[in-house]
């Protein structure tokens, strides 16, 4: 086993671990408190829980998280990664791995698969994940396509607001919008509160035309849904769609086949009925544009926060190379076959899009 110092978080590569720190400490087994034989690791960043007592209780009840076993569980996942995917190239910090355990209710096997999927998705879609940092998607942020409302809902969840009408396709491709959404989620999931409470999505489809909808075909839909459902450690608790035109029936027809039943049941279509929206999101946390009382929608605060977080995204996992005997397609299926199948589906969906429009 070879050690190298990077000055950053712990990472896993072909030589098993790359990590920061230069003093020795023992790595403990997940099932015992004593050091493993002949295995010594440098100091890693120590995890400090920031959850309130109420959220600790919520995590115990909803996520099967036991504070007294938390670090043991993290170590168990770390050992599984090193044993089963020694060339994954992942961060191994306690706080990072804990995101995946919480997202899969501390089921080791499901958390491991989510972690593998996370990296597989990043490496298999270079148009989205290469050079992924806030400064690279500044035009999208300035357009107001995606933002986060300043106030939490009564369940302590952030509201991610997406407005497709703010996108001009001639300015940049749809993948730039996906990059902006992904970075927004990456920033939000750094918070332990978000890891436990999840998020709510508010999508305003006002003014979305057929020409815009045509950019969101089955191939893109399957990729995005795959990431949100199986490739990212976040809990999506509700998706509220408002001001959807008739064309949205065609869009949803493209999306729905890729949705698991649990997530599909969390979609709420409100049309232009603000009262219906307010039953899911209280007016007190909504901007005036959606019948709320929290003032006009201001995207500048979130833009400034995200753009100031450039250093948080300095490690580009998508550039780490898997060994020749373990490709992303081996883990999640053939990308070429999926793309061909989705292209065939798109040809079948286009008449439906025109009919709905």
């Amino acid at each position: 086993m070879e050690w190298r110092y990077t000055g950053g978080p712990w990472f896993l590569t072909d030589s098993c671990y790359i990590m920061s720190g230069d003093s020795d400490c023992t790595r403990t087994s997940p099932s015992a408190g004593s050091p493993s034989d002949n295995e010594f690791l440098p100091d890693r960043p120590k995890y400090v829980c920031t959850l309130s007592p109420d959220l600790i209780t919520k995590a115990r009840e909803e996520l099967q998280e036991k504070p007294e076993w938390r670090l043991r569980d993290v170590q168990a996942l770390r050992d599984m990664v090193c044993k089963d995917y020694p060339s994954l190239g992942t961060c191994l910090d306690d706080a990072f791995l804990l995101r995946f355990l919480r997202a899969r209710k501390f089921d080791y096997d499901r958390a491991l698969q989510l972690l593998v999927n996370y990296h597989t998705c990043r490496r298999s879609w270079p148009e989205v994940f290469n050079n992924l940092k806030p400064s690279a998607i500044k035009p999208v942020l300035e357009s107001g396509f995606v933002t986060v409302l300043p106030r939490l809902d009564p369940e302590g969840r952030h509201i991610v607001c997406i407005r497709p009408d703010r996108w001009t396709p001639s300015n940049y491709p749809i993948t730039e919008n996906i990059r902006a959404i992904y970075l927004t989620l990456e920033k939000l999931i750094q918070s332990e509160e978000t890891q436990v409470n999840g998020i709510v999505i508010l999508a305003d489809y006002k003014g979305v035309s057929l020409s815009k909808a045509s950019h969101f075909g089955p191939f893109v839909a399957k990729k995005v849904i795959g990431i949100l459902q199986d490739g990212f450690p976040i809990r999506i608790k509700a998706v509220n769609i408002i001001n959807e035109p008739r064309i949205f029936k065609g869009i949803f027809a493209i999306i729905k086949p890729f949705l698991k039943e649990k997530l599909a049941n969390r979609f709420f279509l409100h049309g232009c009925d603000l009262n219906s929206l307010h039953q899911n999101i209280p007016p007190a946390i909504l901007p005036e544009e959606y019948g709320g009382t929290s003032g006009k929608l201001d995207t500048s605060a979130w833009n400034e926060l995200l753009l100031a977080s450039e250093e948080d995204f300095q490690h580009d996992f998508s550039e780490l190379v898997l060994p020749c005997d373990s490709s992303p397609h081996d883990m999640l299926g053939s990308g070429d076959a999926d793309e061909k199948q989705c292209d065939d589906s798109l040809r079948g969906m286009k008449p439906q899009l025109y009919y709905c429009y």
Side-chain angles (χ1 to χ4, degrees), residues 265-317:
N265 291 337
R266 293 177 177 176
F267 272 71
F268 301 93
L269 308 184
H270 302 287
C272 298
D273 188 350
L274 292 178
N275 290 327
S276 175
L277 174 65
H278 296 165
Q279 291 180 21
N280 286 25
I281 305 178
I285 67 174
L286 286 170
E288 294 176 4
E289 289 84 343
Y290 304 116
T293 59
S294 65
K296 291 192 175 297
L297 181 59
D298 181 11
T299 63
S300 61
W302 176 254
N303 290 353
E304 291 172 6
L305 176 65
L306 192 57
L307 289 169
S309 305
E310 191 86 0
E311 291 186 2
D312 294 347
F313 306 99
Q314 61 180 322
H315 298 286
D316 188 351
F317 296 122

Side-chain angles (χ1 to χ4, degrees), residues 175-189:
T175 48
E176 291 300 296
N177 296 329
I178 297 169
R179 285 157 60 83
I181 293 173
Y182 193 93
L183 280 178
T184 294
L185 297 182
E186 281 279 14
K187 184 60 182 176
L188 289 176
I189 205 61

Side-chain angles (χ1 to χ4, degrees), residues 141-151 159-166 202-204 206 242-243 277 281 283-303:
L141 296 177
E142 291 176 342
S143 75
F145 174 85
V146 60
T147 192
V148 177
L149 301 188
R151 300 182 62 180
I159 311 294
V160 178
C161 182
I162 301 172
R163 298 183 293 171
D165 69 305
R166 296 294 178 131
L202 171 60
D204 181 1
K206 181 180 180 180
I242 193 167
N243 295 324
L277 174 65
I281 305 178
I285 67 174
L286 286 170
E288 294 176 4
E289 289 84 343
Y290 304 116
T293 59
S294 65
K296 291 192 175 297
L297 181 59
D298 181 11
T299 63
S300 61
W302 176 254
N303 290 353

Side-chain angles (χ1 to χ4, degrees), residues 17 58 132 140 194 203 213 231 263 290 321 345:
Y17 288 103
K58 182 176 182 179
L132 185 62
V140 184
T194 298
L263 183 56
Y290 304 116
V321 179
S345 300

Side-chain angles (χ1 to χ4, degrees), residues 52-65:
S52 67
D54 287 344
L55 283 181
I56 289 176
T57 299
K58 182 176 182 179
R60 182 188 291 272
E61 294 174 351
E62 295 186 9
L63 308 181
Q64 318 306 318
E65 177 176 344

Side-chain angles (χ1 to χ4, degrees), residues 102-252:
R102 285 173 171 153
R104 290 298 180 262
K105 298 185 177 181
F106 282 76
D107 182 315
Y108 295 168
D109 291 328
R110 293 176 65 226
L112 176 62
Q113 188 59 60
L114 178 61
L115 178 62
V116 172
N117 291 352
Y118 173 85
H119 290 291
T120 300
C121 290
R122 295 181 68 112
R123 292 164 188 160
S124 63
W125 203 0
E127 297 89 346
V128 170
F129 293 105
N130 284 353
N131 191 36
L132 185 62
K133 55 187 178 181
S135 60
I137 49 96
K138 190 174 180 180
V140 184
L141 296 177
E142 291 176 342
S143 75
F145 174 85
V146 60
T147 192
V148 177
L149 301 188
R151 300 182 62 180
L152 304 175
D153 76 356
E155 300 295 323
R157 304 174 299 204
H158 282 287
I159 311 294
V160 178
C161 182
I162 301 172
R163 298 183 293 171
D165 69 305
R166 296 294 178 131
W167 171 47
T168 302
S170 60
N171 289 346
Y172 44 79
I174 192 172
T175 48
E176 291 300 296
N177 296 329
I178 297 169
R179 285 157 60 83
I181 293 173
Y182 193 93
L183 280 178
T184 294
L185 297 182
E186 281 279 14
K187 184 60 182 176
L188 289 176
I189 205 61
Q190 292 175 359
S191 163
E192 289 197 284
E193 288 78 7
T194 298
Q195 294 170 25
V196 174
N197 291 327
I199 63 166
V200 171
I201 294 175
L202 171 60
D204 181 1
Y205 276 83
K206 181 180 180 180
V208 174
S209 64
L210 176 62
S211 61
K212 274 189 183 178
S214 66
H215 291 269
F216 195 71
F219 176 68
V220 173
K222 184 175 183 180
K223 286 275 195 180
V224 172
I225 297 300
I227 290 170
L228 295 179
Q229 288 188 142
D230 301 311
F232 195 85
I234 201 162
R235 307 174 71 204
I236 300 176
K237 305 302 289 184
V239 180
N240 293 276
I241 309 295
I242 193 167
N243 295 324
E244 68 272 19
R246 285 185 298 167
I247 186 64
F248 187 79
K249 293 180 181 179
I251 298 174
F252 196 66

